PDB file of all heavy atoms in Angstrom:
ATOM      1  N   ARG A   7      17.980   7.570   9.424  1.00 59.00           N
ATOM      2  CA  ARG A   7      16.865   6.952   8.811  1.00 59.00           C
ATOM      3  C   ARG A   7      15.487   7.518   9.182  1.00 59.00           C
ATOM      4  O   ARG A   7      14.537   7.604   8.434  1.00 59.00           O
ATOM      5  CB  ARG A   7      16.898   5.338   9.143  1.00 59.00           C
ATOM      6  CG  ARG A   7      15.891   4.575   8.343  1.00 59.00           C
ATOM      7  CD  ARG A   7      16.093   3.026   8.583  1.00 59.00           C
ATOM      8  NE  ARG A   7      17.109   2.544   7.713  1.00 59.00           N
ATOM      9  CZ  ARG A   7      18.113   1.664   8.101  1.00 59.00           C
ATOM     10  NH1 ARG A   7      18.181   1.421   9.352  1.00 59.00           N
ATOM     11  NH2 ARG A   7      18.987   1.186   7.232  1.00 59.00           N
ATOM     12  N   ALA A   8      15.360   7.949  10.452  1.00 58.00           N
ATOM     13  CA  ALA A   8      14.115   8.544  10.926  1.00 58.00           C
ATOM     14  C   ALA A   8      13.981  10.003  10.506  1.00 58.00           C
ATOM     15  O   ALA A   8      12.940  10.536  10.476  1.00 58.00           O
ATOM     16  CB  ALA A   8      14.099   8.452  12.488  1.00 58.00           C
ATOM     17  N   LEU A   9      15.095  10.665  10.254  1.00 64.00           N
ATOM     18  CA  LEU A   9      15.157  12.051   9.910  1.00 64.00           C
ATOM     19  C   LEU A   9      14.447  12.399   8.529  1.00 64.00           C
ATOM     20  O   LEU A   9      14.750  11.801   7.585  1.00 64.00           O
ATOM     21  CB  LEU A   9      16.602  12.573   9.888  1.00 64.00           C
ATOM     22  CG  LEU A   9      16.821  14.012   9.569  1.00 64.00           C
ATOM     23  CD1 LEU A   9      16.187  14.934  10.695  1.00 64.00           C
ATOM     24  CD2 LEU A   9      18.295  14.351   9.464  1.00 64.00           C
ATOM     25  N   ASN A  10      13.380  13.141   8.694  1.00 69.00           N
ATOM     26  CA  ASN A  10      12.686  13.582   7.481  1.00 69.00           C
ATOM     27  C   ASN A  10      12.140  12.396   6.643  1.00 69.00           C
ATOM     28  O   ASN A  10      12.191  12.320   5.468  1.00 69.00           O
ATOM     29  CB  ASN A  10      13.493  14.531   6.542  1.00 69.00           C
ATOM     30  CG  ASN A  10      13.651  15.893   7.095  1.00 69.00           C
ATOM     31  OD1 ASN A  10      12.879  16.347   7.946  1.00 69.00           O
ATOM     32  ND2 ASN A  10      14.608  16.573   6.566  1.00 69.00           N
ATOM     33  N   HIS A  11      11.613  11.356   7.396  1.00 79.00           N
ATOM     34  CA  HIS A  11      11.210  10.138   6.772  1.00 79.00           C
ATOM     35  C   HIS A  11      10.072  10.327   5.691  1.00 79.00           C
ATOM     36  O   HIS A  11      10.303   9.722   4.593  1.00 79.00           O
ATOM     37  CB  HIS A  11      10.673   9.205   7.854  1.00 79.00           C
ATOM     38  CG  HIS A  11      10.126   7.885   7.371  1.00 79.00           C
ATOM     39  ND1 HIS A  11      11.077   6.918   6.787  1.00 79.00           N
ATOM     40  CD2 HIS A  11       8.980   7.356   7.221  1.00 79.00           C
ATOM     41  CE1 HIS A  11      10.358   5.901   6.455  1.00 79.00           C
ATOM     42  NE2 HIS A  11       9.078   6.144   6.647  1.00 79.00           N
ATOM     43  N   GLU A  12       9.113  11.075   5.875  1.00 85.00           N
ATOM     44  CA  GLU A  12       8.060  11.250   4.951  1.00 85.00           C
ATOM     45  C   GLU A  12       8.598  12.056   3.682  1.00 85.00           C
ATOM     46  O   GLU A  12       8.183  11.737   2.623  1.00 85.00           O
ATOM     47  CB  GLU A  12       6.962  12.121   5.597  1.00 85.00           C
ATOM     48  CG  GLU A  12       6.218  11.261   6.672  1.00 85.00           C
ATOM     49  CD  GLU A  12       5.585   9.997   6.276  1.00 85.00           C
ATOM     50  OE1 GLU A  12       5.101   9.948   5.058  1.00 85.00           O
ATOM     51  OE2 GLU A  12       5.671   9.032   6.992  1.00 85.00           O
ATOM     52  N   ALA A  13       9.487  12.981   3.967  1.00 87.00           N
ATOM     53  CA  ALA A  13      10.064  13.716   2.812  1.00 87.00           C
ATOM     54  C   ALA A  13      10.862  12.786   1.900  1.00 87.00           C
ATOM     55  O   ALA A  13      10.793  12.907   0.677  1.00 87.00           O
ATOM     56  CB  ALA A  13      10.910  14.874   3.312  1.00 87.00           C
ATOM     57  N   LYS A  14      11.630  11.914   2.580  1.00 92.00           N
ATOM     58  CA  LYS A  14      12.438  11.022   1.750  1.00 92.00           C
ATOM     59  C   LYS A  14      11.548  10.064   0.969  1.00 92.00           C
ATOM     60  O   LYS A  14      11.938   9.700  -0.207  1.00 92.00           O
ATOM     61  CB  LYS A  14      13.350  10.150   2.713  1.00 92.00           C
ATOM     62  CG  LYS A  14      14.448  10.923   3.274  1.00 92.00           C
ATOM     63  CD  LYS A  14      15.272  10.123   4.279  1.00 92.00           C
ATOM     64  CE  LYS A  14      16.274  10.991   5.013  1.00 92.00           C
ATOM     65  NZ  LYS A  14      17.009  10.163   6.050  1.00 92.00           N
ATOM     66  N   ILE A  15      10.366   9.647   1.459  1.00 93.00           N
ATOM     67  CA  ILE A  15       9.428   8.824   0.608  1.00 93.00           C
ATOM     68  C   ILE A  15       8.939   9.587  -0.655  1.00 93.00           C
ATOM     69  O   ILE A  15       8.950   9.086  -1.727  1.00 93.00           O
ATOM     70  CB  ILE A  15       8.301   8.377   1.521  1.00 93.00           C
ATOM     71  CG1 ILE A  15       8.668   7.410   2.604  1.00 93.00           C
ATOM     72  CG2 ILE A  15       7.156   7.786   0.643  1.00 93.00           C
ATOM     73  CD1 ILE A  15       7.622   7.028   3.527  1.00 93.00           C
ATOM     74  N   ARG A  16       8.625  10.867  -0.420  1.00 95.00           N
ATOM     75  CA  ARG A  16       8.151  11.688  -1.599  1.00 95.00           C
ATOM     76  C   ARG A  16       9.352  11.829  -2.611  1.00 95.00           C
ATOM     77  O   ARG A  16       9.140  11.658  -3.815  1.00 95.00           O
ATOM     78  CB  ARG A  16       7.757  13.032  -1.078  1.00 95.00           C
ATOM     79  CG  ARG A  16       6.506  13.058  -0.250  1.00 95.00           C
ATOM     80  CD  ARG A  16       5.865  14.402  -0.205  1.00 95.00           C
ATOM     81  NE  ARG A  16       6.827  15.440   0.383  1.00 95.00           N
ATOM     82  CZ  ARG A  16       6.960  15.779   1.646  1.00 95.00           C
ATOM     83  NH1 ARG A  16       6.392  15.013   2.562  1.00 95.00           N
ATOM     84  NH2 ARG A  16       7.770  16.620   1.943  1.00 95.00           N
ATOM     85  N   ILE A  17      10.460  12.097  -2.185  1.00 96.00           N
ATOM     86  CA  ILE A  17      11.650  12.160  -3.005  1.00 96.00           C
ATOM     87  C   ILE A  17      11.906  10.876  -3.817  1.00 96.00           C
ATOM     88  O   ILE A  17      12.052  10.901  -4.975  1.00 96.00           O
ATOM     89  CB  ILE A  17      12.893  12.623  -2.287  1.00 96.00           C
ATOM     90  CG1 ILE A  17      12.767  13.973  -1.727  1.00 96.00           C
ATOM     91  CG2 ILE A  17      14.194  12.471  -3.081  1.00 96.00           C
ATOM     92  CD1 ILE A  17      13.805  14.395  -0.751  1.00 96.00           C
ATOM     93  N   ALA A  18      11.776   9.766  -3.046  1.00 97.00           N
ATOM     94  CA  ALA A  18      12.076   8.465  -3.633  1.00 97.00           C
ATOM     95  C   ALA A  18      11.045   8.121  -4.646  1.00 97.00           C
ATOM     96  O   ALA A  18      11.405   7.565  -5.730  1.00 97.00           O
ATOM     97  CB  ALA A  18      12.120   7.400  -2.530  1.00 97.00           C
ATOM     98  N   GLU A  19       9.778   8.467  -4.395  1.00 97.00           N
ATOM     99  CA  GLU A  19       8.707   8.137  -5.360  1.00 97.00           C
ATOM    100  C   GLU A  19       9.009   8.795  -6.684  1.00 97.00           C
ATOM    101  O   GLU A  19       8.817   8.212  -7.793  1.00 97.00           O
ATOM    102  CB  GLU A  19       7.359   8.496  -4.734  1.00 97.00           C
ATOM    103  CG  GLU A  19       6.879   7.566  -3.693  1.00 97.00           C
ATOM    104  CD  GLU A  19       5.575   8.117  -3.020  1.00 97.00           C
ATOM    105  OE1 GLU A  19       5.250   9.288  -3.167  1.00 97.00           O
ATOM    106  OE2 GLU A  19       4.917   7.278  -2.317  1.00 97.00           O
ATOM    107  N   ARG A  20       9.340  10.154  -6.577  1.00 97.00           N
ATOM    108  CA  ARG A  20       9.503  10.835  -7.901  1.00 97.00           C
ATOM    109  C   ARG A  20      10.756  10.390  -8.583  1.00 97.00           C
ATOM    110  O   ARG A  20      10.740  10.357  -9.845  1.00 97.00           O
ATOM    111  CB  ARG A  20       9.670  12.411  -7.447  1.00 97.00           C
ATOM    112  CG  ARG A  20       9.809  13.268  -8.679  1.00 97.00           C
ATOM    113  CD  ARG A  20       8.613  13.152  -9.654  1.00 97.00           C
ATOM    114  NE  ARG A  20       8.815  13.933 -10.909  1.00 97.00           N
ATOM    115  CZ  ARG A  20       8.576  15.129 -11.013  1.00 97.00           C
ATOM    116  NH1 ARG A  20       8.047  15.871  -9.986  1.00 97.00           N
ATOM    117  NH2 ARG A  20       8.772  15.836 -12.195  1.00 97.00           N
ATOM    118  N   CYS A  21      11.877  10.143  -7.863  1.00 97.00           N
ATOM    119  CA  CYS A  21      13.098   9.716  -8.491  1.00 97.00           C
ATOM    120  C   CYS A  21      12.872   8.366  -9.137  1.00 97.00           C
ATOM    121  O   CYS A  21      13.169   8.158 -10.424  1.00 97.00           O
ATOM    122  CB  CYS A  21      14.178   9.636  -7.448  1.00 97.00           C
ATOM    123  SG  CYS A  21      15.764   9.015  -8.153  1.00 97.00           S
ATOM    124  N   ALA A  22      12.247   7.427  -8.475  1.00 97.00           N
ATOM    125  CA  ALA A  22      11.936   6.138  -9.044  1.00 97.00           C
ATOM    126  C   ALA A  22      11.091   6.207 -10.247  1.00 97.00           C
ATOM    127  O   ALA A  22      11.248   5.398 -11.220  1.00 97.00           O
ATOM    128  CB  ALA A  22      11.372   5.171  -8.020  1.00 97.00           C
ATOM    129  N   ALA A  23      10.088   7.058 -10.229  1.00 97.00           N
ATOM    130  CA  ALA A  23       9.193   7.206 -11.371  1.00 97.00           C
ATOM    131  C   ALA A  23       9.986   7.619 -12.716  1.00 97.00           C
ATOM    132  O   ALA A  23       9.498   7.412 -13.778  1.00 97.00           O
ATOM    133  CB  ALA A  23       8.054   8.231 -11.081  1.00 97.00           C
ATOM    134  N   ASP A  24      11.072   8.323 -12.363  1.00 97.00           N
ATOM    135  CA  ASP A  24      11.896   8.814 -13.651  1.00 97.00           C
ATOM    136  C   ASP A  24      12.893   7.808 -14.071  1.00 97.00           C
ATOM    137  O   ASP A  24      13.639   8.104 -15.025  1.00 97.00           O
ATOM    138  CB  ASP A  24      12.564  10.152 -13.233  1.00 97.00           C
ATOM    139  CG  ASP A  24      11.631  11.262 -13.112  1.00 97.00           C
ATOM    140  OD1 ASP A  24      10.398  11.198 -13.653  1.00 97.00           O
ATOM    141  OD2 ASP A  24      11.967  12.336 -12.517  1.00 97.00           O
ATOM    142  N   ILE A  25      12.977   6.656 -13.500  1.00 97.00           N
ATOM    143  CA  ILE A  25      13.927   5.648 -13.839  1.00 97.00           C
ATOM    144  C   ILE A  25      13.232   4.636 -14.892  1.00 97.00           C
ATOM    145  O   ILE A  25      12.319   4.005 -14.404  1.00 97.00           O
ATOM    146  CB  ILE A  25      14.485   4.894 -12.645  1.00 97.00           C
ATOM    147  CG1 ILE A  25      15.176   5.822 -11.693  1.00 97.00           C
ATOM    148  CG2 ILE A  25      15.424   3.798 -13.116  1.00 97.00           C
ATOM    149  CD1 ILE A  25      16.457   6.481 -12.306  1.00 97.00           C
ATOM    150  N   PRO A  26      13.616   4.545 -16.068  1.00 96.00           N
ATOM    151  CA  PRO A  26      12.944   3.608 -17.005  1.00 96.00           C
ATOM    152  C   PRO A  26      13.252   2.157 -16.634  1.00 96.00           C
ATOM    153  O   PRO A  26      14.295   1.830 -16.069  1.00 96.00           O
ATOM    154  CB  PRO A  26      13.562   4.001 -18.359  1.00 96.00           C
ATOM    155  CG  PRO A  26      14.298   5.281 -18.194  1.00 96.00           C
ATOM    156  CD  PRO A  26      14.664   5.308 -16.743  1.00 96.00           C
ATOM    157  N   GLU A  27      12.258   1.358 -16.882  1.00 96.00           N
ATOM    158  CA  GLU A  27      12.507  -0.123 -16.790  1.00 96.00           C
ATOM    159  C   GLU A  27      13.562  -0.472 -17.794  1.00 96.00           C
ATOM    160  O   GLU A  27      13.774   0.101 -18.806  1.00 96.00           O
ATOM    161  CB  GLU A  27      11.131  -0.860 -16.964  1.00 96.00           C
ATOM    162  CG  GLU A  27      10.157  -0.594 -15.905  1.00 96.00           C
ATOM    163  CD  GLU A  27       8.980  -1.456 -15.889  1.00 96.00           C
ATOM    164  OE1 GLU A  27       8.676  -2.064 -16.981  1.00 96.00           O
ATOM    165  OE2 GLU A  27       8.230  -1.504 -14.908  1.00 96.00           O
ATOM    166  N   GLY A  28      14.319  -1.544 -17.440  1.00 97.00           N
ATOM    167  CA  GLY A  28      15.383  -1.997 -18.364  1.00 97.00           C
ATOM    168  C   GLY A  28      16.634  -1.192 -18.176  1.00 97.00           C
ATOM    169  O   GLY A  28      17.456  -1.189 -19.088  1.00 97.00           O
ATOM    170  N   SER A  29      16.861  -0.525 -17.014  1.00 97.00           N
ATOM    171  CA  SER A  29      17.961   0.382 -16.845  1.00 97.00           C
ATOM    172  C   SER A  29      19.041  -0.335 -15.976  1.00 97.00           C
ATOM    173  O   SER A  29      18.776  -1.198 -15.228  1.00 97.00           O
ATOM    174  CB  SER A  29      17.525   1.612 -16.075  1.00 97.00           C
ATOM    175  OG  SER A  29      16.680   2.432 -16.800  1.00 97.00           O
ATOM    176  N   SER A  30      20.243   0.052 -16.141  1.00 98.00           N
ATOM    177  CA  SER A  30      21.387  -0.300 -15.206  1.00 98.00           C
ATOM    178  C   SER A  30      21.595   0.973 -14.291  1.00 98.00           C
ATOM    179  O   SER A  30      21.614   2.096 -14.713  1.00 98.00           O
ATOM    180  CB  SER A  30      22.692  -0.608 -15.994  1.00 98.00           C
ATOM    181  OG  SER A  30      23.103   0.516 -16.710  1.00 98.00           O
ATOM    182  N   ILE A  31      21.613   0.572 -12.994  1.00 98.00           N
ATOM    183  CA  ILE A  31      21.627   1.751 -11.930  1.00 98.00           C
ATOM    184  C   ILE A  31      22.752   1.452 -10.988  1.00 98.00           C
ATOM    185  O   ILE A  31      22.953   0.282 -10.585  1.00 98.00           O
ATOM    186  CB  ILE A  31      20.292   1.791 -11.257  1.00 98.00           C
ATOM    187  CG1 ILE A  31      19.130   1.820 -12.266  1.00 98.00           C
ATOM    188  CG2 ILE A  31      20.234   2.858 -10.296  1.00 98.00           C
ATOM    189  CD1 ILE A  31      17.756   1.587 -11.630  1.00 98.00           C
ATOM    190  N   PHE A  32      23.313   2.572 -10.466  1.00 97.00           N
ATOM    191  CA  PHE A  32      24.244   2.377  -9.262  1.00 97.00           C
ATOM    192  C   PHE A  32      23.563   3.222  -8.153  1.00 97.00           C
ATOM    193  O   PHE A  32      23.037   4.319  -8.375  1.00 97.00           O
ATOM    194  CB  PHE A  32      25.618   2.891  -9.510  1.00 97.00           C
ATOM    195  CG  PHE A  32      26.547   2.521  -8.290  1.00 97.00           C
ATOM    196  CD1 PHE A  32      27.263   1.366  -8.465  1.00 97.00           C
ATOM    197  CD2 PHE A  32      26.499   3.252  -7.117  1.00 97.00           C
ATOM    198  CE1 PHE A  32      28.075   0.901  -7.308  1.00 97.00           C
ATOM    199  CE2 PHE A  32      27.227   2.799  -6.053  1.00 97.00           C
ATOM    200  CZ  PHE A  32      28.026   1.611  -6.145  1.00 97.00           C
ATOM    201  N   MET A  33      23.550   2.687  -7.013  1.00 96.00           N
ATOM    202  CA  MET A  33      22.983   3.286  -5.805  1.00 96.00           C
ATOM    203  C   MET A  33      24.012   3.232  -4.692  1.00 96.00           C
ATOM    204  O   MET A  33      24.498   2.148  -4.299  1.00 96.00           O
ATOM    205  CB  MET A  33      21.702   2.650  -5.384  1.00 96.00           C
ATOM    206  CG  MET A  33      20.658   2.609  -6.490  1.00 96.00           C
ATOM    207  SD  MET A  33      19.093   1.797  -6.069  1.00 96.00           S
ATOM    208  CE  MET A  33      18.371   3.089  -5.049  1.00 96.00           C
ATOM    209  N   ASN A  34      24.333   4.415  -4.086  1.00 94.00           N
ATOM    210  CA  ASN A  34      25.362   4.339  -3.085  1.00 94.00           C
ATOM    211  C   ASN A  34      24.834   4.275  -1.653  1.00 94.00           C
ATOM    212  O   ASN A  34      23.638   3.978  -1.387  1.00 94.00           O
ATOM    213  CB  ASN A  34      26.280   5.601  -3.250  1.00 94.00           C
ATOM    214  CG  ASN A  34      25.760   6.978  -2.838  1.00 94.00           C
ATOM    215  OD1 ASN A  34      24.456   7.002  -2.564  1.00 94.00           O
ATOM    216  ND2 ASN A  34      26.568   7.951  -2.668  1.00 94.00           N
ATOM    217  N   ILE A  35      25.637   4.573  -0.665  1.00 89.00           N
ATOM    218  CA  ILE A  35      25.309   4.395   0.749  1.00 89.00           C
ATOM    219  C   ILE A  35      24.335   5.604   1.146  1.00 89.00           C
ATOM    220  O   ILE A  35      24.595   6.723   0.738  1.00 89.00           O
ATOM    221  CB  ILE A  35      26.581   4.387   1.585  1.00 89.00           C
ATOM    222  CG1 ILE A  35      27.399   3.243   1.234  1.00 89.00           C
ATOM    223  CG2 ILE A  35      26.227   4.329   2.998  1.00 89.00           C
ATOM    224  CD1 ILE A  35      28.873   3.358   1.838  1.00 89.00           C
ATOM    225  N   GLY A  36      23.309   5.319   1.894  1.00 88.00           N
ATOM    226  CA  GLY A  36      22.492   6.386   2.421  1.00 88.00           C
ATOM    227  C   GLY A  36      21.104   5.948   2.613  1.00 88.00           C
ATOM    228  O   GLY A  36      20.591   5.121   2.005  1.00 88.00           O
ATOM    229  N   THR A  37      20.469   6.667   3.566  1.00 90.00           N
ATOM    230  CA  THR A  37      19.021   6.274   3.831  1.00 90.00           C
ATOM    231  C   THR A  37      18.098   6.792   2.707  1.00 90.00           C
ATOM    232  O   THR A  37      17.004   6.183   2.468  1.00 90.00           O
ATOM    233  CB  THR A  37      18.573   6.917   5.156  1.00 90.00           C
ATOM    234  OG1 THR A  37      18.747   8.374   5.106  1.00 90.00           O
ATOM    235  CG2 THR A  37      19.334   6.385   6.283  1.00 90.00           C
TER     236      THR A  37
END
């Protein structure tokens, strides 16, 4: 969870921005 924490935030922001509202999503195990 601590490893590359800031990088994970940048990745997450971009990924979430590409997910449209009204979507069905699966998310698996992982930080």
Side-chain angles (χ1 to χ4, degrees):
R7 189 173 273 137
L9 181 62
N10 285 344
H11 178 68
E12 295 301 321
K14 288 175 183 175
I15 292 175
R16 295 196 303 274
I17 291 168
E19 288 174 343
R20 182 60 186 272
C21 180
D24 289 342
I25 300 296
E27 295 187 342
S29 297
S30 59
I31 309 167
F32 192 96
M33 305 178 73
N34 75 346
I35 301 169
T37 59

